[in-house]
Amino acid sequence: MTAKNLPNPPYYAVIFVNQSTNEDAEGYGQMADRMVELAQQQPGYLGMESVREPAGKGITVSYWQDLDAIQNWKKNLEHIEARKLGKEKWYEDYQLQVAKIEHGYRWIKN
């Protein structure tokens, strides 16, 4: 399921805002691709949206069925390693917030 086809609420969003160091861009890109691939395989994963500006500020929102799915993703060993590398070399700073989606809608121009 893509982030464009989310289920009816309630569900959860994990909002990850970060500033990259621009160090090891190739390694970061490979790890980011792997994390997307791996997240998509996790029970309770619903979708993801991500943007990054040229100056390195990024926002990724991943959507999850429930809090248990988020906790299980956090415990994934490859995800743990990615977070470790992020702290060591890929991020200047980051913040993460978890929000419960109670209501939402989408509009698309024809």
Side-chain angles (χ1 to χ4, degrees), residues 35-46:
M35 290 301 101
V36 170
E37 176 186 328
L38 191 58
Q40 291 171 341
Q41 298 170 17
Q42 302 305 301
Y45 171 84
L46 301 174

Side-chain angles (χ1 to χ4, degrees), residues 20-32 85 89-91:
S20 72
T21 61
N22 294 318
E23 181 180 326
D24 185 25
E26 183 177 329
Y28 176 80
Q30 290 172 352
M31 182 64 82
L85 290 170
K89 62 180 176 177
W90 290 324
Y91 298 121

Side-chain angles (χ1 to χ4, degrees), residues 48-75:
M48 182 180 299
E49 299 176 284
S50 188
V51 295
R52 181 164 304 278
E53 66 181 16
K57 179 109 177 182
I59 301 172
T60 298
V61 181
S62 59
Y63 302 99
W64 300 87
Q65 183 175 21
D66 53 37
L67 292 173
D68 287 340
I70 294 169
Q71 284 301 313
N72 288 335
W73 170 234
K74 185 176 182 182
K75 294 175 188 175

